[in-house]
Amino acid sequence: MFEPVIAPSGTLLGLLQRGRGDGTLHALTAPRAEALAALDHCVLRDPRHDWQVENRSLYYARLYLDLHGELDAIEAHLFGAEDVLDTDECRTGLALAVLGHLASYGRQDALALLRRYAASGANWAWALDELALRDDDAGLRALAVPVLARFPADAEGEADLTAAVRDAFEPRPWRLWAEDPRPAVGARVRAAQEAGSFDRWQRQMRPQGPRPGWSVQAVFDWAQQGLERGAVLHVPAARCLTAVAGPENRHEIVEAARAGGDGARCTALRYLADSDDPDALDLVEAAVSTGSALVVDAAVDAFERMRGVAAVDRARGWARRPDALGAAAGRVLACRGGAQDRDLVLAALREAVRGEGPDAQTLWTLVDGAGRLGIACAAPVLRHVYRETASSHLRGRAARALAATDPSFAAGFAVECLWDCEESTREIAARHAETGDTRVVDQLRRLAADPAEEAEVQTAVRSRIGPDMPAV
């Protein structure tokens, strides 16, 4: 899947792609055709960099409701020829999730599209999961024959059916179909359920990897063999060392961290850092200077996991380094530093934005640190990150940090955050948005009454709704 192309943050399309609350507010005042075109663009070309953790479906579904949007573009997307040529679930997953939310709001056209796609579409399993949460028993039972027809009645087909039943995210349809009296439906699904249970039992009886009684060297060898196969195993290998290594093995592990092969070196560094070994910090610094890219990443990651006072003290000395260890030191201070480290964390935040832009992964920790330490001077940078990042999770972190550092947040960004795509961001807004704005009062009441809203958001909303709230 190609990286999404994100429009500028000042455009309607850019706001909707980012899932910002201002996207909804602008769409509701823009010409309807323009707003629906931008909305369809987002739903049919998923704008998320990480679709597994970023939310958009409820945000887009609510906007379809507010705009009384038709679903013709989604229908053409789902049932076009490309569905046969490109079966990657990323192509249709967002559209199906939006239809699922619309069905839960009572849109019968969305429910009908989900049923049709579950019967004939390439990403049928996703559609079936959406229906499992929203459709009635009769609707799900009607899908048994077309879904089972996907699996030929031969050995390969039965194996594929077993895997589908075993790995189903929502088991409700399969349980209903297992009760069907027809042999071609009920008996076949029950057989697949039994075979799936047997497969899980067999996997548990054939564990892979280290066994009790392994030596330290055997664990190092296992990690190295994993690298040769293209598998990075130093994290589980370090956990294995915890089980097999004793005090008498320390010298061997320290030598591996200093000059071992990449697999052994990464494993030893992780183990020593987790053990808070007195030599761990010096070995991390040496690894960053002399190791391969894999070793450098492992060393930096191991350092960031260290919780002791010595690690924080060392981070203060490393924070100005212009390398990966310096960046990691800034993140350590953001997580565990004190008030005296505010300038170093602010410098790291500014440098990350200047050098890597508003979507840099390192910003997640630095933004949190700016909020935790209450760095008021960071507010301009945090506002820039909030506006420009394409990551709705990072924007939510920026909103949380602004709530702690920016006195204008309650009357500014907190208002639009009530319409944000991320429930955690809406929760922040519900706790901070000034209620003098009638839009805020209306939206708080809408969120409180919406059955699709998350419980945490509704709890925050109800803490604000009371006799003192202005009348609408």
Side-chain angles (χ1 to χ4, degrees), residues 413-461:
F413 285 141
V415 175
E416 74 156 278
C417 286
L418 286 171
W419 286 265
D420 197 87
C421 66
E422 296 291 342
E423 63 266 18
S424 57
T425 307
R426 297 195 297 274
E427 181 183 356
I428 295 167
R431 297 189 184 282
H432 292 91
E434 287 188 357
T435 56
D437 188 329
T438 57
R439 296 176 304 168
V440 172
V441 178
D442 288 343
Q443 183 65 0
L444 287 174
R445 288 176 172 158
R446 177 180 179 179
L447 295 177
D450 191 338
E453 188 52 78
E454 296 292 331
E456 292 81 0
V457 178
Q458 293 190 326
T459 298
V461 168

Coordinates of all heavy atoms in Angstrom, one line a residue, residues 413-461:
F413 N -8.3 25.5 20.7 CA -8.3 24.1 20.1 C -9.3 23.2 20.8 O -9.8 22.2 20.2 CB -6.9 23.6 20.1 CG -6.0 24.1 19.1 CD1 -4.7 24.4 19.4 CD2 -6.5 24.4 17.8 CE1 -3.8 24.9 18.4 CE2 -5.6 25.0 16.8 CZ -4.3 25.2 17.1
A414 N -9.5 23.4 22.1 CA -10.4 22.5 22.9 C -11.8 22.4 22.3 O -12.5 21.4 22.3 CB -10.5 22.9 24.3
V415 N -12.2 23.6 21.7 CA -13.6 23.6 21.1 C -13.6 22.7 19.9 O -14.5 21.8 19.8 CB -13.9 25.0 20.7 CG1 -15.3 25.1 19.9 CG2 -14.0 25.9 21.9
E416 N -12.7 22.8 19.0 CA -12.8 21.9 17.8 C -12.5 20.4 18.2 O -13.0 19.5 17.5 CB -11.8 22.3 16.7 CG -10.3 22.1 17.0 CD -9.5 22.0 15.7 OE1 -9.5 20.9 15.1 OE2 -8.8 23.0 15.3
C417 N -11.7 20.2 19.3 CA -11.4 18.8 19.7 C -12.7 18.0 20.0 O -12.6 16.8 20.0 CB -10.5 18.8 20.8 SG -8.8 19.2 20.4
L418 N -13.8 18.7 20.3 CA -15.0 18.0 20.6 C -15.5 17.2 19.4 O -16.3 16.3 19.5 CB -16.1 19.0 21.0 CG -16.0 19.5 22.5 CD1 -17.0 20.7 22.7 CD2 -16.2 18.4 23.5
W419 N -15.1 17.6 18.2 CA -15.4 16.9 17.0 C -14.3 16.0 16.4 O -14.4 15.5 15.3 CB -15.9 17.9 15.9 CG -17.2 18.5 16.1 CD1 -18.4 18.1 15.6 CD2 -17.5 19.7 16.9 NE1 -19.4 18.9 16.0 CE2 -18.9 19.9 16.8 CE3 -16.7 20.5 17.7 CZ2 -19.5 21.0 17.4 CZ3 -17.3 21.6 18.3 CH2 -18.7 21.8 18.2
D420 N -13.2 15.8 17.2 CA -12.0 15.1 16.7 C -12.4 13.6 16.5 O -13.3 13.1 17.0 CB -10.9 15.2 17.7 CG -9.5 14.9 17.1 OD1 -8.9 15.8 16.6 OD2 -9.1 13.7 17.2
C421 N -11.5 13.0 15.6 CA -11.8 11.6 15.3 C -11.3 10.7 16.4 O -11.8 9.5 16.4 CB -11.0 11.2 14.0 SG -9.2 11.3 14.1
E422 N -10.5 11.1 17.3 CA -10.0 10.2 18.4 C -10.8 10.5 19.7 O -10.9 11.6 20.1 CB -8.5 10.5 18.6 CG -7.6 10.2 17.5 CD -7.4 8.7 17.2 OE1 -7.8 7.9 18.1 OE2 -7.0 8.3 16.1
E423 N -11.2 9.3 20.2 CA -12.1 9.5 21.4 C -11.3 10.1 22.6 O -11.8 10.8 23.4 CB -12.7 8.2 21.9 CG -11.7 7.1 22.2 CD -11.3 6.2 21.1 OE1 -11.6 6.6 19.9 OE2 -10.8 5.1 21.3
S424 N -10.0 9.8 22.7 CA -9.2 10.3 23.8 C -9.0 11.9 23.7 O -9.0 12.6 24.7 CB -7.8 9.7 23.8 OG -7.1 9.9 22.6
T425 N -9.0 12.4 22.4 CA -9.0 13.8 22.2 C -10.3 14.4 22.5 O -10.4 15.5 23.1 CB -8.6 14.1 20.8 OG1 -7.4 13.4 20.4 CG2 -8.3 15.6 20.5
R426 N -11.4 13.8 22.2 CA -12.7 14.3 22.5 C -12.9 14.3 24.1 O -13.5 15.2 24.6 CB -13.8 13.5 21.9 CG -13.8 13.5 20.4 CD -15.1 13.0 19.8 NE -15.3 11.5 20.1 CZ -14.9 10.5 19.4 NH1 -14.1 10.7 18.3 NH2 -15.2 9.3 19.7
E427 N -12.3 13.4 24.7 CA -12.4 13.3 26.2 C -11.7 14.6 26.8 O -12.2 15.2 27.7 CB -11.8 12.1 26.7 CG -11.9 12.0 28.2 CD -11.2 10.7 28.8 OE1 -10.7 9.9 28.0 OE2 -11.1 10.6 30.0
I428 N -10.5 14.9 26.3 CA -9.7 16.0 26.7 C -10.6 17.3 26.5 O -10.7 18.1 27.4 CB -8.4 16.2 26.0 CG1 -7.5 15.0 26.3 CG2 -7.7 17.5 26.3 CD1 -6.3 14.9 25.4
A429 N -11.2 17.4 25.3 CA -12.0 18.6 25.0 C -13.2 18.7 26.0 O -13.5 19.8 26.4 CB -12.4 18.5 23.6
A430 N -13.8 17.5 26.2 CA -15.0 17.5 27.1 C -14.7 18.1 28.5 O -15.5 18.6 29.2 CB -15.6 16.1 27.2
R431 N -13.4 17.9 28.9 CA -13.0 18.3 30.3 C -12.6 19.8 30.3 O -12.5 20.4 31.4 CB -11.9 17.4 30.8 CG -12.3 16.0 31.0 CD -11.3 15.1 31.7 NE -11.7 13.7 31.8 CZ -12.6 13.2 32.6 NH1 -13.2 14.1 33.5 NH2 -12.9 12.0 32.6
H432 N -12.2 20.3 29.1 CA -11.6 21.7 29.1 C -12.3 22.7 28.3 O -12.2 23.9 28.6 CB -10.1 21.6 28.6 CG -9.2 20.8 29.5 ND1 -9.0 19.5 29.4 CD2 -8.4 21.3 30.5 CE1 -8.1 19.1 30.3 NE2 -7.8 20.2 31.0
A433 N -13.1 22.4 27.3 CA -13.7 23.4 26.4 C -14.6 24.3 27.2 O -15.5 23.9 28.0 CB -14.5 22.7 25.3
E434 N -14.4 25.6 26.9 CA -15.3 26.6 27.6 C -16.7 26.5 27.0 O -16.9 26.4 25.8 CB -14.7 28.0 27.3 CG -13.5 28.3 28.1 CD -13.1 29.8 28.0 OE1 -13.7 30.5 27.2 OE2 -12.1 30.1 28.6
T435 N -17.7 26.5 27.9 CA -19.1 26.3 27.5 C -19.8 27.6 27.2 O -21.0 27.6 27.0 CB -19.8 25.6 28.7 OG1 -19.7 26.4 29.9 CG2 -19.3 24.2 28.9
G436 N -19.0 28.7 27.1 CA -19.7 30.0 26.7 C -20.1 30.0 25.2 O -20.9 30.7 24.8
D437 N -19.4 29.1 24.5 CA -19.7 28.9 23.0 C -20.9 27.9 22.9 O -20.9 26.8 23.4 CB -18.5 28.4 22.3 CG -18.6 28.3 20.8 OD1 -19.7 28.2 20.3 OD2 -17.6 28.5 20.1
T438 N -22.0 28.4 22.2 CA -23.2 27.5 22.1 C -22.9 26.2 21.4 O -23.5 25.2 21.6 CB -24.3 28.3 21.4 OG1 -23.9 28.7 20.1 CG2 -24.8 29.4 22.2
R439 N -21.9 26.3 20.4 CA -21.5 25.0 19.7 C -21.0 24.0 20.7 O -21.2 22.8 20.5 CB -20.4 25.3 18.7 CG -20.9 26.2 17.5 CD -19.7 26.5 16.6 NE -18.5 27.1 17.4 CZ -17.3 27.2 16.9 NH1 -17.0 26.8 15.7 NH2 -16.3 27.7 17.6
V440 N -20.3 24.4 21.7 CA -19.7 23.5 22.7 C -20.9 22.8 23.5 O -20.9 21.6 23.7 CB -18.8 24.2 23.7 CG1 -18.4 23.3 24.9 CG2 -17.6 24.7 23.0
V441 N -21.9 23.6 23.9 CA -23.0 23.1 24.7 C -23.8 22.1 23.8 O -24.1 20.9 24.3 CB -23.9 24.2 25.1 CG1 -25.1 23.6 25.9 CG2 -23.2 25.2 26.0
D442 N -24.0 22.4 22.6 CA -24.7 21.5 21.7 C -24.0 20.2 21.5 O -24.6 19.1 21.5 CB -24.9 22.2 20.3 CG -26.0 23.3 20.3 OD1 -26.7 23.3 21.3 OD2 -26.0 24.1 19.4
Q443 N -22.7 20.3 21.3 CA -21.9 19.1 21.0 C -21.8 18.2 22.2 O -21.8 17.0 22.2 CB -20.5 19.5 20.4 CG -19.6 18.3 20.1 CD -20.2 17.4 18.9 OE1 -21.3 17.8 18.4 NE2 -19.5 16.4 18.5
L444 N -21.6 18.8 23.4 CA -21.5 18.1 24.6 C -22.8 17.2 24.8 O -22.8 16.1 25.2 CB -21.3 19.0 25.8 CG -19.9 19.6 26.0 CD1 -19.9 20.6 27.1 CD2 -18.9 18.5 26.2
R445 N -23.9 17.9 24.6 CA -25.2 17.1 24.7 C -25.3 16.0 23.7 O -25.9 15.0 24.0 CB -26.4 18.1 24.7 CG -26.4 19.0 25.9 CD -27.5 20.0 25.8 NE -27.6 20.7 27.2 CZ -28.2 21.9 27.3 NH1 -28.6 22.6 26.3 NH2 -28.2 22.4 28.5
R446 N -24.9 16.3 22.5 CA -24.9 15.3 21.4 C -24.1 14.1 21.8 O -24.5 12.9 21.7 CB -24.5 15.9 20.1 CG -24.4 14.8 19.0 CD -24.0 15.4 17.7 NE -24.0 14.4 16.6 CZ -23.6 14.6 15.4 NH1 -23.3 15.8 15.0 NH2 -23.6 13.6 14.5
L447 N -22.9 14.3 22.3 CA -22.0 13.2 22.7 C -22.6 12.4 23.8 O -22.4 11.2 23.9 CB -20.6 13.8 23.1 CG -19.8 14.5 21.9 CD1 -18.5 15.0 22.5 CD2 -19.5 13.5 20.8
A448 N -23.2 13.1 24.8 CA -23.8 12.5 25.9 C -24.9 11.5 25.5 O -25.1 10.5 26.2 CB -24.3 13.5 26.9
A449 N -25.6 11.8 24.4 CA -26.7 11.0 24.0 C -26.4 10.0 22.9 O -27.3 9.2 22.6 CB -27.9 12.0 23.5
D450 N -25.2 10.1 22.4 CA -24.8 9.2 21.2 C -24.4 7.8 21.7 O -23.4 7.7 22.4 CB -23.7 9.9 20.5 CG -23.4 9.2 19.1 OD1 -23.8 8.0 19.0 OD2 -22.8 9.8 18.2
P451 N -25.2 6.8 21.4 CA -24.8 5.4 21.8 C -23.5 4.9 21.3 O -22.9 4.0 21.8 CB -26.0 4.6 21.4 CG -26.6 5.3 20.2 CD -26.4 6.8 20.5
A452 N -23.0 5.5 20.2 CA -21.8 5.1 19.6 C -20.6 5.7 20.3 O -19.4 5.3 20.0 CB -21.7 5.4 18.1
E453 N -20.8 6.7 21.2 CA -19.7 7.4 21.8 C -19.1 6.5 22.9 O -19.8 5.7 23.5 CB -20.1 8.7 22.4 CG -19.0 9.6 22.9 CD -17.9 9.8 21.9 OE1 -18.1 10.6 21.0 OE2 -16.9 9.1 22.0
E454 N -17.8 6.7 23.1 CA -17.0 5.9 24.1 C -17.5 6.3 25.5 O -17.8 7.5 25.8 CB -15.5 6.1 23.9 CG -15.0 5.5 22.6 CD -15.0 4.0 22.5 OE1 -15.0 3.4 23.6 OE2 -15.2 3.5 21.4
A455 N -17.4 5.3 26.4 CA -17.9 5.6 27.8 C -17.0 6.6 28.5 O -17.5 7.5 29.2 CB -17.8 4.3 28.6
E456 N -15.7 6.7 28.2 CA -14.8 7.6 28.9 C -15.2 9.1 28.4 O -15.1 10.0 29.2 CB -13.4 7.3 28.5 CG -12.8 6.1 29.1 CD -13.2 4.8 28.3 OE1 -13.9 5.0 27.3 OE2 -12.8 3.7 28.7
V457 N -15.5 9.2 27.2 CA -16.0 10.5 26.7 C -17.3 10.9 27.3 O -17.4 12.1 27.8 CB -16.1 10.5 25.1 CG1 -16.6 11.9 24.7 CG2 -14.8 10.2 24.5
Q458 N -18.2 10.0 27.4 CA -19.5 10.4 28.0 C -19.4 10.7 29.5 O -20.1 11.6 30.0 CB -20.5 9.3 27.8 CG -20.9 9.1 26.3 CD -22.0 8.2 26.1 OE1 -22.2 7.2 26.8 NE2 -22.8 8.5 25.0
T459 N -18.5 10.0 30.2 CA -18.2 10.3 31.6 C -17.7 11.7 31.7 O -18.1 12.5 32.6 CB -17.2 9.3 32.2 OG1 -17.8 8.0 32.1 CG2 -16.9 9.7 33.6
A460 N -16.7 12.1 30.9 CA -16.2 13.5 30.9 C -17.3 14.5 30.6 O -17.3 15.6 31.2 CB -15.0 13.6 29.9
V461 N -18.1 14.2 29.6 CA -19.2 15.1 29.2 C -20.1 15.3 30.4 O -20.5 16.5 30.7 CB -19.9 14.6 28.0 CG1 -21.2 15.4 27.7 CG2 -19.0 14.6 26.7

